[in-house]
């Protein structure tokens, strides 16, 4: 039997999961994965957070309701000028999507994303995604983990700020 979900330190966890594709979002919301995809997840976490399928679901796992209810799925087109996201995030995971966009657009997205991070928040990218040009705003703690630098506003200079200047 799994243990009830209790994040350390009494944290209240909320996750916003976004994509442009509503089919992708619907699939993700099911929370069903092949067992092999948990290979690198410690056994205790597997037991605590996943249910193993039986019968025709054999070989698959499903995220437990306790975990699933922490996640809000939301369609978001990164190309939109305004992203309908509320509040600031401790961590943003943005993996394996940069490749879809040219360098200039990548920089617009990432600098805009940094504005949604809390002070000293983290941006997690994919293993092959290198962004040395973002080093003025983030410190690379590892290949994939980037931390917002202290007391430095990200140098996003997109449409929102330009519009404010014109007012
Ligand atoms: C290769 S998948 C990576 C998904 C996930 N991050 C992962 O690592 O498994 C890239 C995703 O980017 C999404 N995407 C492409 N263009 C987008 C856009 N303009 N706004 C938001 N998501 C977009 C695609 O729908 C696709 O689901």
């Amino acid at each position: 039997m799994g243990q009830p979900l209790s994040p350390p330190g009494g944290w209240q966890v909320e996750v916003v999961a976004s994509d442009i594709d509503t089919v992708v979002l619907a699939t993700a919301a099911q929370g069903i994965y092949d067992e092999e995809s948990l290979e690198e997840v410690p056994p205790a976490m597997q037991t605590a957070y996943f249910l193993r399928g039986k019968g025709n679901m054999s070989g698959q796992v499903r995220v437990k309701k306790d975990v699933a209810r922490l996640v809000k799925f939301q369609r978001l087109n990164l190309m939109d000028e305004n992203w309908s996201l509320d509040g600031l995030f401790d961590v943003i995971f943005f993996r394996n999507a940069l490749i879809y966009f040219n360098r200039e657009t990548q920089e617009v997205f990432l600098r805009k994303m940094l504005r949604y991070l809390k002070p000293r928040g983290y941006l997690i990218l994919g293993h092959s995604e290198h962004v040395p040009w973002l080093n003025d705003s983030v410190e690379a703690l590892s290949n994939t983990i980037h931390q917002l630098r202290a007391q430095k506003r990200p140098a996003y200079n997109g449409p929102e700020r330009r519009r404010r200047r014109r007012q």
Side-chain angles (χ1 to χ4, degrees), residues 19-21 76-79 95-97 100-101:
D19 199 283
I20 191 174
D21 187 335
L76 175 73
N77 182 355
L78 294 166
M79 299 295 279
R95 295 172 63 248
N96 308 327
Y100 289 92
F101 309 101

Side-chain angles (χ1 to χ4, degrees), residues 18-22 24-25 75-80 83 93-101 109 126 129:
S18 69
D19 199 283
I20 191 174
D21 187 335
T22 52
V24 165
L25 289 173
R75 184 177 180 277
L76 175 73
N77 182 355
L78 294 166
M79 299 295 279
D80 287 346
W83 297 350
F93 295 86
F94 185 58
R95 295 172 63 248
N96 308 327
L98 275 180
I99 192 173
Y100 289 92
F101 309 101
F109 286 166
E129 294 164 328

Side-chain angles (χ1 to χ4, degrees), residues 101-117:
F101 309 101
N102 66 29
R103 163 73 172 74
E104 190 188 352
T105 309
Q106 290 177 359
E107 182 157 4
V108 171
F109 286 166
L110 290 183
R111 292 200 183 279
K112 192 166 173 180
M113 241 171 242
L114 298 184
R115 297 181 68 200
Y116 283 93
L117 278 180

